[in-house]
Structures are given as structure tokens and as C-alpha cells.
Amino acid sequence: FFSSNMTAQSESSVTEGPTIVCISDTHNEHQNLQVPDGDILIHAGDFTRFGRPEHLQDFNEWLGTLPHQHKIVVYGNHEQNSRLE
């Protein structure tokens, strides 16, 4: 939507916002990913295959190696159906 009473801003006055990277359904294959750099990483569920604690530990260690300043992890059905707490 563009109104005729609006004026365009020059490129130099536009401030870039944060870069958000979103992944999901990695099913314990996260080590094989090439995750793009960004400010915020969202993993939208199913980071384990069967919700095993050792898979969670491996995922958490891998997550710590990524450069994103903020990381948000959401449980998927594979994690919900496990004994992970």
C-alpha cells in the first residue's frame, strides 16, 4: 500500500533490522546443516529424532557453537512425546 501523500526515504536513511534465521525438523541431523549467519536463530521444533537425552545434549552443544546472538528453541512433537524436561 502506498499513499500519494507519502514520500520515499533515501537508501541511506533506512535502518536495517535484525536478521532472523528459522530452521525446523532437523531430527538430530543438525551437524550436517550450513546455518546462515544472523542476529536471531529460531529452531521451530523437532530437533531430536526420538527425544533422547543424548540427542538433546548434542543439539545443545552444537547450538552453543553458532554465532547468533539470540537463540529461540521450540519443542516439537518429537520432544513433546519424550521424557525431556
Side-chain angles (χ1 to χ4, degrees):
F1 170 68
F2 183 83
S3 173
S4 61
N5 63 353
M6 296 176 68
T7 57
Q9 296 179 355
S10 70
E11 237 179 79
S12 62
S13 67
V14 176
T15 305
E16 286 190 32
T19 302
I20 300 171
V21 178
C22 188
I23 60 175
S24 71
D25 298 285
T26 54
H27 299 286
N28 208 44
E29 296 291 330
H30 48 272
Q31 299 286 356
N32 299 325
L33 294 179
Q34 292 182 359
V35 180
D37 287 341
D39 301 303
I40 301 168
L41 173 68
I42 300 172
H43 193 297
D46 291 348
F47 50 89
T48 67
R49 185 165 301 209
F50 302 111
R52 294 187 176 139
E54 62 268 26
H55 294 172
L56 174 62
Q57 180 67 33
D58 183 63
F59 175 76
N60 191 51
E61 290 172 5
W62 171 79
L63 199 62
T65 68
L66 298 177
H68 307 81
Q69 183 178 3
H70 302 285
K71 298 167 186 156
I72 300 167
V73 178
V74 179
Y75 268 17
N77 65 306
H78 285 251
E79 292 79 40
Q80 295 279 342
N81 296 326
S82 72
R83 295 183 180 197
L84 299 175
E85 295 182 21

